Amino acid sequence: MVDIVLSDALTSRAEAVRRFGRRDSLFRAMTALAALLVVAVFAGVITSLTIGAMPAIHKFGWNFLTSEVWDPVQEEFGALASIYGTLLTSALAMLIAVPVGIGIAIFLTEICPRPLRRPIGIAIELLAGIPSIIYGIWGLFTFAPAFQQTAEPWLIDLFGNVPVLQDYLGGAPYGIGIFTAGLILSIMVLPFISAVTRDVFETVPPMLKEAAYGLGCTTWEVMWRVVLPFARTGVVGGAMLALGRALGETMAVTFVIGNAHNIQKSVFAPGTTISATIANEFTEAVGDLYLSSLIEMGLILFFITFVVLACAQMMLRSLERRAGG
Amino acid sequence: MIVHSGLYRRRRAGNAMFLTLSVFAAIFGIVWLTAILGSLFYNGFSAISPKLFEEMTPPPGSDGGLLNAIFGSVVMSAIAVAIGTPVGLMAGTYLAEYGRHGWGSFFVRFINDILLSAPSIVIGLFIYEIVVVNTPTTHRVCQAILGSWCPIGHFSGIAGALALTVIVIPVVVRTTENMLLLVPNGLREAAAALGAPRSRVIRAVTWKAARAGIITGALLAIARISGETAPLLFTAFNNQFWSTDLNGPIANLPYVIFQFAMSPYEDWHHLAWAGALLITAAVLGLSIAARILERSNRS
């Protein structure tokens, strides 16, 4: 009798252990599958865009990248104007946002009175989450008309007689255009850059700063010679991350870029970017070649942002390793 | 001491100059950002009325609200979160628990962070290519399985929700992994010492300890997608009328804002501002809730 009960218990125990084991591996397999799904989505994006872009790739080849022609009627497409606009608006955005963002981070870590640091820091982080369409609608309704009437004519007049600059900063004040798009992008990525930079500044060991102060350095010298060199990787990584955002940004740009498919010297002229072209024209595109060309532009955009974001990650990862010790 | 030498004065002056510059940088940034919020609240509040939540999007020149667009946005976001959160949670769990130092996890982490910042318009193109485009073979297979529910071949709320799902997943993966890594190993070891199998440890101990953080991730993901416009342009498209049919084009706030703001009609502009204010309020509310939760989790 006793024997039977015992063996019963033993078999049911073995049974339970096996059951646990099965559930365990099932759970593990499910998590692994979910992780693989992330990779599958990424691979799917590249594959589906490449397939969608095939007709345009066959038809135009490398010329697609170097041609400025965008003629839906004749079905002649080239992405140069859009690529140019994407790169130029993002460059303008970085030119403004990086120094200002670092300035804000210095302000927050060194100058700002202590009780204000947290609220301002939180406000900046919250602003980083505001959807880009808000920046777009503000740019279109509030900024562009004001800019057209005040600063833009003034700038054009100011540089009107300067030999080289008059080409780049001339023309008619439209309000919308490459410059406006770049400026709005810079405002959009500003919270992003300052938040990352501030976080990186805070990882600088206080000992380093104190040692420099002890040698008699001024605050500026400590920032420039100690903090910035120490935090360089992180700051560049954060800026690249912001650049990735700016390059792919759609709505903030589409509202204010003007959607003009040609390259003009003046930054005040209307232009277009890859994302703005796709957003504006995709649903109205008739004909396979037109659609395919837009998809190829999407593929180009994905490639550009991939390179930028991958660099950003390498830098931020190496930083994490260092911080982790 | 020779503190009043020229060099010393130059250094003092340089210091004062650069510190002033950084104060100006801060003012510059804060002025722009308050200008945006200010004009959003100014224009948005004057356009807010109960009608927004009672009436449909109007044709130009007549009165109306945003009810159909709000409904569409809420439904698509809900579906995206309902699918994206479990997937993201599982993938984040794999990265933090099973493959913490593995080579494969490193790769997944890398891809995930790329997807996290990838241009959302490209995600829209991706879903367009696999769902909206009408390819005869996939269409036939899909129709055989799903019948009239087959979403392939046309714009639909389902396609929009899928595009948003692709955006939700990386956000949830990232926050889940970060939050699980904060759970002390002692907890896992204690549970394992009691004889709990690994999956049990994860579900009953680790997830529970990181619960607030995981919810934070979901909230951040909702905040992220509630303003996303680009991926919806050619997936969910738009619908001027009330529609609950997820298998057809469905109205959504971001698209309506885009369309109305770009139009030449004054009353459409007002509605666009009102919609923008609604979205911003939702996003700010969600991020603040997420922040409060996160802090309660860390302490």
Side-chain angles (χ1 to χ4, degrees):
Chain A
M1 185 68 193
V2 173
D3 269 6
I4 293 165
V5 171
L6 196 64
S7 73
D8 253 13
L10 274 178
T11 47
S12 70
R13 187 176 179 280
E15 180 70 20
V17 167
R18 256 202 306 281
R19 207 171 53 230
F20 274 149
R22 269 201 306 277
R23 278 193 201 155
D24 229 26
S25 22
L26 182 70
F27 184 78
R28 190 190 165 126
M30 275 165 67
T31 59
L33 207 66
L36 276 180
L37 188 69
V38 173
V39 182
V41 166
F42 181 80
V45 171
I46 294 177
T47 318
S48 69
L49 291 190
T50 311
I51 293 173
M54 264 312 158
I57 294 175
H58 277 307
K59 178 84 197 289
F60 303 118
W62 291 108
N63 278 338
F64 192 71
L65 295 176
T66 52
S67 156
E68 199 191 320
V69 181
W70 189 265
D71 187 350
V73 182
Q74 306 287 328
E75 297 217 306
E76 277 295 322
F77 300 103
L80 188 64
S82 298
I83 297 174
Y84 171 82
T86 299
L87 298 180
L88 188 58
T89 49
S90 300
L92 275 172
M94 287 297 118
L95 209 63
I96 302 169
V98 169
V100 176
I102 294 178
I104 292 179
I106 293 178
F107 174 79
L108 277 179
T109 49
E110 301 295 325
I111 305 167
C112 185
R114 249 170 218 289
L116 283 179
R117 281 182 197 181
R118 266 188 64 82
I120 295 184
I122 290 174
I124 287 178
E125 279 168 36
L126 287 179
L127 286 167
I130 289 194
S132 56
I133 191 167
I134 309 296
Y135 291 93
I137 188 174
W138 176 80
L140 178 68
F141 286 139
T142 313
F143 179 77
F147 183 60
Q148 184 180 17
Q149 276 161 20
T150 53
E152 200 174 11
W154 181 78
L155 281 170
I156 291 170
D157 278 349
L158 185 69
F159 295 105
N161 295 317
V162 185
V164 181
L165 285 178
Q166 65 184 4
D167 292 338
Y168 294 98
L169 293 162
Y174 295 99
I176 53 174
I178 300 264
F179 182 81
T180 308
L183 189 65
I184 287 182
L185 274 181
S186 77
I187 301 169
M188 205 192 89
V189 296
L190 191 57
F192 210 72
I193 295 182
S194 22
V196 175
T197 311
R198 188 204 52 182
D199 289 349
V200 182
F201 280 179
E202 274 167 6
T203 64
V204 177
M207 286 288 267
L208 277 182
K209 282 158 74 177
E210 281 159 19
Y213 279 124
L215 287 172
C217 288
T218 60
T219 310
W220 167 248
E221 285 160 354
V222 173
M223 293 312 289
W224 187 244
R225 305 222 169 130
V226 179
V227 175
L228 267 181
F230 188 89
R232 191 176 46 214
T233 331
V235 174
V236 177
M240 301 275 275
L241 217 54
L243 177 61
R245 286 268 157 109
L247 286 167
E249 179 46 49
T250 311
M251 296 326 283
V253 171
T254 307
F255 279 100
V256 293
I257 189 90
N259 205 32
H261 279 282
N262 46 23
I263 297 176
Q264 295 183 29
K265 263 189 182 170
S266 171
V267 292
F268 294 127
T272 190
T273 67
I274 294 178
S275 50
T277 303
I278 300 174
N280 272 320
E281 301 182 20
F282 200 83
T283 45
E284 284 152 24
V286 276
D288 288 344
L289 202 58
Y290 195 176
L291 268 185
S292 175
S293 302
L294 288 170
I295 292 172
E296 187 177 353
M297 291 226 284
L299 189 63
I300 295 169
L301 178 65
F302 193 65
F303 178 75
I304 299 174
T305 47
F306 177 82
V307 172
V308 171
L309 291 171
C311 293
Q313 272 203 57
M314 301 290 186
M315 290 174 161
L316 293 172
R317 281 278 149 67
S318 71
L319 194 78
E320 237 165 60
R321 268 201 299 279
R322 195 175 66 188
Chain B
M1 281 182 43
I2 27 169
V3 288
H4 289 293
S5 71
L7 177 65
Y8 181 69
R9 239 177 292 131
R10 258 204 316 282
R11 286 176 56 210
R12 287 282 299 255
N15 187 42
M17 197 176 89
F18 284 109
L19 291 188
T20 319
L21 275 182
S22 76
V23 173
F24 276 129
I27 293 172
F28 176 84
I30 288 162
V31 163
W32 283 119
L33 295 167
T34 44
I36 292 176
L37 286 185
S39 98
L40 175 67
F41 283 116
Y42 175 78
N43 290 296
F45 270 124
S46 64
I48 288 237
S49 72
K51 267 196 202 151
L52 286 184
F53 309 99
E54 289 162 1
E55 291 178 21
M56 307 306 149
T57 47
S62 59
D63 260 8
L66 296 168
L67 182 61
N68 50 345
I70 296 171
F71 174 80
S73 277
V74 170
V75 170
M76 281 192 290
S77 305
I79 296 174
V81 172
I83 306 172
T85 311
V87 174
L89 176 65
M90 294 303 263
T93 304
Y94 180 82
L95 295 181
E97 300 286 336
Y98 290 114
R100 200 179 280 193
H101 304 293
W103 183 88
S105 298
F106 180 82
F107 183 65
V108 173
R109 222 169 271 141
F110 178 79
I111 296 293
N112 188 67
D113 284 358
I114 297 273
L115 284 178
L116 193 62
S117 324
S120 54
I121 196 161
V122 173
I123 306 295
L125 286 177
F126 165 57
I127 298 295
Y128 176 89
E129 275 295 304
I130 61 170
V131 179
V132 183
V133 164
N134 193 354
T135 41
T137 30
T138 49
H139 186 71
R140 213 173 300 131
V141 173
C142 167
Q143 204 136 46
I145 302 169
L146 294 169
S148 63
W149 271 96
C150 167
I152 285 183
H154 52 264
F155 295 120
S156 67
I158 299 174
L162 281 178
L164 294 180
T165 308
V166 174
I167 295 169
V168 166
I169 293 174
V171 181
V172 178
V173 172
R174 177 103 315 278
T175 43
T176 304
E177 195 201 353
N178 287 349
M179 291 303 152
L180 290 180
L181 288 177
L182 287 178
V183 176
N185 266 333
L187 277 181
R188 296 189 183 95
E189 284 156 13
L194 288 172
R198 190 127 186 221
S199 59
R200 197 63 195 255
V201 175
I202 291 169
R203 276 179 302 175
V205 178
T206 331
W207 278 1
K208 208 157 251 178
R211 193 174 49 194
I214 292 167
I215 298 172
T216 307
L219 288 180
L220 287 178
I222 304 174
R224 171 85 195 271
I225 57 172
S226 50
E228 279 294 354
T229 316
L232 297 177
L233 293 176
F234 20 85
T235 52
F237 199 54
N238 195 5
N239 193 334
Q240 201 191 326
F241 306 104
W242 172 259
S243 166
T244 53
D245 180 16
L246 279 172
N247 202 11
I250 196 164
N252 55 87
L253 268 182
Y255 199 118
V256 169
I257 296 174
F258 179 48
Q259 184 197 0
F260 281 18
M262 292 297 240
S263 78
Y265 312 112
E266 196 64 25
D267 32 356
W268 273 16
H269 292 176
H270 287 305
L271 280 174
W273 276 115
L277 182 60
L278 287 182
I279 288 185
T280 311
V283 170
L284 286 182
L286 285 164
S287 342
I288 290 169
R291 180 168 285 279
I292 292 169
L293 257 175
E294 193 187 359
R295 195 177 320 152
S296 73
N297 189 41
R298 277 183 203 275
S299 59

